[in-house]
Amino acid sequence: MEPILEIQHLKKFFNSPAGLLHAVDDVSFSMKEGTTLGVVGESGCGKSTLGRTILHLLDSTDGKIFFQGEDITHVKRRKLKQLRQDMQIIFQDPFSSLNPRMTVSDIISEAFYINGSKNKRHVRSETRKLMDTVGLAKIFEYSYPHELDGGRCQRIGIARALALNPKFIVCDEPVSALDVSIQAQILNLLSDLQKEKKLTYIFVTHDLSVVRYISDSIVVMYLGQMAEKASSDELFKEPLHPYTKALLSAIPVPDVHHIKNRILLQGEISSPINPAPGCRFAVRCNYASEKCKSPQVLEEVRQNHFVFCCKVREINNGN
C-alpha cells in the first residue's frame, strides 16, 4: 500500500540575530492511511513546527513532502487551497484558535463558504450534522466561544477541521489545555472519528501516556532531530535511545508502593542555533563519547525501529 504521507529529509530553519535556528532538521518518515503517528519530546524540540511545515502553514527550508503520492513541497496558491480540503489541523488552545466574535455555527460553517458553497440551507444542515458528530448539542448553535468550556470549544475546533472531509489531520496537542476527564472524552472522540472516516493523524504531544493510548507509531524528537522511531508497543516495551529512556522514566505510576528508577538528565541543553555536527543530546548523555561529535544518521537497528545514536548501533551490531 502506498503511504498517504511521506516526508523526506524535511528541514525548517528560522533566521535569528545569532544565526540559523534549526527547528526541524532532517526529519524523514512515512504513514499509511488510517494510522496515527505520535510526535513527542520536550517543549521547543520542533514538534509543532514539524506539523505546521507539513501543512504549509510554514514554508520548508529543504526536503520533500509527498501527499497521496504527489510532491506538494512547493505548491502554488490555487493548488494549496485544494490541498487544504484534505489536510487540516486541530490547534492546541481551543480558546485562542476560535474567533470570539463568531458563533459556534458561524465558525464551523465558515469553511463551506470559503470553499464556494452558496446554499445556506445545505451549509446549515451540514453544520448541524458536524455538531452532532462531535457531540455538541444543538442549543450551542448560536453560542459564542467564551460562553463554553474548554472541552466544548475543542469540539468546535474538531468539527471545523472535519468540515471538508479531510484525509489527514495534524492534532497539535489538542488535549493539553483540558482537564483529565475531558481529555479522555476528546481522545475517544478522535479515535472513533478515525475508525469511521479512515482519518490519518499526526498527534503532537508532550504527554507520553496520551501518545501511548492513541498512536500506532511514535517519533521522539530532540532539538529538531528524530532521536527514535518505532511502533508504540515496541517503544514502550524496549526503548533504545538514552533520551527516550529518560522520558519514559518520568511517567508517573499510580501506585505509592512502586519505586521508580528515574533517569535524571544533567548538563545544559545545546543551542539549536548553528548546532555543531553530531548528536545534540551528547552533552546530557551518560554514554557520550568522541564518536558522538561526528555526523550521525537515523538508522534501523531492529525491524521498523530506528535510532539516532552511535552507541546503540554499536551494541546492536555486537561491537
Side-chain angles (χ1 to χ4, degrees):
M1 180 187 294
E2 186 178 88
I4 187 172
L5 179 72
E6 185 175 0
I7 307 301
Q8 297 179 357
H9 307 290
L10 189 64
K11 297 180 181 181
K12 175 58 185 176
F13 300 162
F14 293 96
N15 288 314
S16 75
L20 283 178
L21 190 155
H22 292 218
V24 175
D25 200 351
D26 201 18
V27 170
S28 299
F29 61 84
S30 63
M31 297 182 65
K32 294 180 181 179
E33 184 179 13
T35 61
T36 299
L37 175 69
V39 182
V40 299
E42 295 171 278
S43 296
C45 71
K47 305 184 301 293
S48 296
T49 303
L50 173 63
R52 291 167 186 250
T53 304
I54 292 171
L55 293 178
H56 289 275
L57 296 177
L58 297 170
D59 293 329
S60 60
T61 302
D62 198 6
K64 294 286 186 181
I65 305 171
F66 294 89
F67 182 69
Q68 295 183 315
E70 182 181 359
D71 187 348
I72 63 165
T73 311
H74 304 291
V75 292
K76 301 298 181 183
R77 186 170 182 177
R78 182 178 296 179
K79 176 62 180 177
L80 184 58
K81 185 176 181 180
Q82 297 174 0
L83 200 62
R84 292 274 184 253
Q85 298 181 31
D86 289 327
M87 306 176 77
Q88 283 291 326
I89 185 170
I90 300 169
F91 293 99
Q92 176 179 357
D93 188 344
F95 294 103
S96 64
S97 65
L98 303 177
N99 190 330
R101 299 184 179 182
M102 297 174 70
T103 64
V104 172
S105 178
D106 290 337
I107 291 170
I108 298 173
S109 63
E110 184 180 25
F112 295 107
Y113 292 119
I114 289 175
N115 284 274
S117 295
K118 297 181 180 180
N119 188 327
K120 292 186 178 181
R121 182 176 295 180
H122 172 74
V123 170
R124 187 175 182 182
S125 173
E126 291 299 311
T127 300
R128 287 179 171 175
K129 286 180 183 177
L130 283 167
M131 289 180 64
D132 184 60
T133 297
V134 300
L136 278 170
K138 186 179 176 181
I139 58 172
F140 299 120
E141 187 173 2
Y142 298 108
S143 299
Y144 289 88
H146 72 272
E147 299 174 314
L148 306 176
D149 59 27
R152 290 193 176 98
C153 284
Q154 194 58 288
R155 291 175 190 271
I156 299 170
I158 295 171
R160 178 176 60 183
L162 293 173
L164 300 176
N165 293 314
K167 297 180 176 66
F168 169 74
I169 299 177
V170 172
C171 306
D172 187 8
E173 302 201 42
V175 297
S176 64
L178 307 177
D179 293 337
V180 175
S181 59
I182 305 300
Q183 285 185 14
Q185 295 176 19
I186 297 300
L187 289 172
N188 288 332
L189 172 61
L190 290 171
S191 295
D192 292 341
L193 289 170
Q194 184 175 46
K195 294 172 184 175
E196 178 186 339
K197 300 178 179 293
K198 295 183 179 179
L199 294 170
T200 305
Y201 294 146
I202 284 183
F203 197 93
V204 174
T205 182
H206 59 266
D207 191 326
L208 289 161
S209 299
V210 167
V211 82
R212 183 177 190 178
Y213 170 78
I214 200 168
S215 300
D216 299 295
S217 56
I218 298 174
V219 165
V220 180
M221 292 189 66
Y222 185 80
L223 288 181
Q225 295 179 326
M226 292 173 64
E228 189 165 357
K229 179 182 181 296
S231 68
S232 180
D233 291 339
E234 173 77 10
L235 191 83
F236 278 84
K237 181 181 178 181
E238 196 166 359
L240 298 178
H241 197 283
Y243 177 61
T244 307
K245 292 179 180 180
L247 286 180
L248 296 183
S249 76
I251 300 176
V253 177
D255 183 356
V256 294
H257 302 293
H258 179 83
I259 300 175
K260 204 155 182 188
N261 295 321
R262 283 291 308 274
I263 300 174
L264 301 177
L265 299 177
Q266 306 294 327
E268 292 291 329
I269 299 175
S270 301
S271 173
I273 298 176
N274 299 329
C279 179
R280 295 173 191 173
F281 182 66
V283 294
R284 304 173 74 191
C285 181
N286 294 328
Y287 308 100
S289 65
E290 283 298 315
K291 291 183 179 179
C292 300
K293 296 180 181 180
S294 61
Q296 306 285 319
V297 294
L298 190 75
E299 187 174 304
E300 186 175 15
V301 295
R302 297 181 184 174
Q303 186 175 5
N304 294 323
H305 197 150
F306 300 81
V307 181
F308 189 88
C309 179
C310 59
K311 184 68 174 179
V312 171
R313 290 198 298 272
E314 287 178 2
I315 294 172
N316 279 269
N317 292 333
N319 297 330

